[in-house]
Structures are given as structure tokens and as C-alpha cells.
């Protein structure tokens, strides 16, 4: 089945992989970056989409600066919440399905185990509130949006973005001789963007709707993740474990925000690759780039 798919945020880490994945499946794509359209300018969205007449609109655009959002909560809200409202309204008007990405940060991370879709949300800061509001707007205006919550995304696209990703940050820090301190008391499920893009395509073609968790599948502390990255890259910087107490950030973060992929797998979607394999794959893709 050939679908017409509009992708917002198509220059981001996930967006580039979504474009690759859907184009390899024979879909007709409208790849939108900020250079084409600012999603906070609501008036331009519907005419742009109407001219393409998509079956599916995928929103991988986001304001992801978790700490900066504490200084400018309105900017985060405009992109992560109000723009999703505009996209949902446009989808309703054009009878298109909306696929929207959200975050593990909608949870407070106090459960001490991987979160399921049934768990109550409790965002801890401006970024998290804005992302949860985006989910609510999508659900308020559409019968059947597909909302995919993910966690700690890393993909080769991060090589070309100013924000990069955790692996790039670690590799950059390793190139200086200073010890690297990483928090040991925060656990997430880092997610490989190409693997997430492939599962997203499976979900779209299976016609899934509702909220789904699609994290990397392995709960791991950021410290242990950094260790895995350096082992995989055969690098040996001085890595020290630290804690939230010693390493304060502007935004509060959930201490344990790993996501359970149980619902995704029950729906028949291919399980995520093992974290070690995904990191190896990332490093190989990085070397090729
Ligand atoms: N990255 C993570 O660790 C993480 C964790 C959990 C959930 N998520 C979610 O996963 C999704 C994909 O994240 P990602 O890692 O691919 O993010 P990313 O690499 O930061 O890409 C986001 C893209 O959105 C674009 N964008 C931002 N504001 C825009 C605007 N006003 N108009 C149009 N485009 C705009 C950005 O363009 P510019 O580069 O020009 O700003 C960028 O290309 C997002 O929904 C994110 O919230 C990410």
C-alpha cells in the first residue's frame, strides 16, 4: 500500500530516519523542516497540507531543550502543545491520520519500574508539561491519533544537528582529558532512531491508534549507558558516577523513566534490537558518515 505521508521535523534525528524508512516502503513523502514551515505559525499549516493531501501526518518536530524550557516555558508550549493542536485541527479537516511523538518525561519517574501506557502521568517541568499538553491536544481534536512515547533518542541524524544526542556528547567529552561525570541515579530506555522509525512504519501500516510506548527496551542508568558507549567505541576516558544531588540541572527530571514496550510487542510490532547492537550500529553509521 502506498501512502502519502507528510513528515514535520524531517531534519531531526528521528525525522531523517522516518523519511528513509517510509520512502524505502514506497510511500510518497512531503518532508518538512523548519526552513519550509514553522509549525507554530498555524495559518500556514492547513493550506500546505491540503496541497499535498496526505493520508498520514507525522509530527517529529519538537522543542527538546529541557533545561532552557524552564526559562522560556512559552516557547516550549508553542511548539510542543499549541502547534500539535494546529496539526490535529488540520488533520481533522483533511481526514488524515496524525502520528505524534511524545516522551517518557510525562511521568515523574517515582514508580521505580518501567512505565506502561496505563500509568498516570505527572510531568515535572515546563518541557514535560508542554509534551503532555501536546498529547492532550491531539486526543482532544482527533478520534484516533497515534501517540508514540519514546525515551533518550539517538540517531546518526544527531551528527548534523546542533543538539546532537547523548552518544555525541559522551564522545565529545572523551576527546578532552577531563574526567567525565554522569548520573547513576537516573534510568531511562535510550532509543535508537532508525529502530524507532522502522517500528513506527510497522505501526502505521498496521493501522494502530492510541498511546504506545516505544523505548529502546533496556532500562539503563545514564552512567551505565556511558560505559557501554565507551566500551563499544573502544575508548577509555576517566568515567565517574555522580548523582542528581551533585549534578543539579534547571529542570527536574524523572529518576526512572524507562518505558515498557509490552503493549507494542503484544500488538505484533517487532521488538527493539538489543541496546548493545543498537549502539554498535550507531557507531558504525557514524564512522561511515
Ligand atoms: N531526543 C530525545 O532524547 C527525545 C526523548 C524523548 C522524546 N523525544 C521526542 O521524539 C521526537 C523526535 O525527537 P528528535 O530527537 O528527533 O528531536 P530533534 O533531533 O531535536 O529534531 C526536532 C526537529 O524539530 C524541528 N523544529 C523545532 N521547532 C520547530 C518549529 N517551530 N517548526 C518546525 N520545526 C521545528 C527542529 O528544527 P531545528 O533543528 O531547526 O530546531 C528539529 O529538526 C520529538 O517529539 C521529541 O520530543 C525525544
Amino acid at each position: 500500500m502506498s501512502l502519502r505521508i507528510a513528515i514535520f521535523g524531517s531534519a531531526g534525528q528521528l525525522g531523517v530516519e522516518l523519511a528513509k524508512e517510509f520512502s524505502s516502503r514506497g510511500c510518497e513523502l512531503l518532508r518538512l523542516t523548519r526552513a519550509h514551515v514553522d509549525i507554530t505559525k498555524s495559518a500556514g499549516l492547513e493550506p500546505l497540507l491540503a496541497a499535498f493531501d496526505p493520508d498520514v501526518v507525522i509530527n517529529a518536530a519538537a522543542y527538546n531543550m529541557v533545561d532552557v524550557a524552564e526559562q522560556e516555558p512559552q516557547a516550549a508550549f508553542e511548539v510542543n502543545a499549541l502547534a500539535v493542536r494546529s496539526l490535529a485541527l488540520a488533520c481533522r479537516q483533511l481526514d488524515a491520520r496524525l502520528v505524534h511523538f511524545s516522551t517518557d518525561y510525562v511521568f515523574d519517574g517515582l514508580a521505580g519500574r518501567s512505565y506502561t501506557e496505563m500509568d498516570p502521568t505527572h510531568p515535572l517541568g515546563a518541557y514535560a508539561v508542554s509534551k503532555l499538553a501536546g498529547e492532550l491536544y491531539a486526543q482532544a481534536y482527533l478520534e484516533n491519533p497515534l501517540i508514540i512515547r519514546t525515551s533518550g533518542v539517538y540517531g546518526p541524524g544527531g551528527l548534523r544537528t546542533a543538539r546532537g544526542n547523548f552518544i555525541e556528547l559522551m564522545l565529545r567529552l572523551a576527546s578532552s582529558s577531563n574526567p567525565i561525570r554522569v548520573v547513576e541515579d537516573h534510568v531511562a530506555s535510550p532509543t535508537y532512531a532508525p529502530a524507532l522509525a522502522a517500528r513506527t512504519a510497522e505501526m502505521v501500516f498496521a493501522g494502530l491508534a492510541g498511546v504506545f510506548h516505544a523505548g529502546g527496551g533496556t532500562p539503563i542508568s545514564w552512567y551505565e549507558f556511558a560505559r557501554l558507549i565507551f566500551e563499544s567505541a573502544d575508548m577509555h576516558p576517566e568515567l565517574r558516577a555522580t548523582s542528581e544531588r551533585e549534578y543539579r540541572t534547571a529542570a527536574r527530571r524523572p529518576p526512572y523513566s524507562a518505558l515498557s514496550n509490552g503493549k507494542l510487542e503484544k500488538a505484533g510490532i517487532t521488538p527493539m534490537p538489543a541496546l548493545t547492537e543498537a549502539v554498535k550500529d550507531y557507531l558504525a553509521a557514524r564512522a561511515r558518515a
Side-chain angles (χ1 to χ4, degrees), residues 186-202:
H186 278 229
V187 170
S189 40
T191 307
Y192 187 38
L196 176 56
R199 272 87 193 149
T200 302
E202 285 185 40

Side-chain angles (χ1 to χ4, degrees), residues 90-106:
C91 285
R92 190 170 68 167
Q93 205 58 33
L94 301 170
D95 206 14
R97 287 154 68 196
L98 176 66
V99 178
H100 174 64
F101 288 91
S102 188
T103 172
D104 50 346
Y105 279 23
V106 297

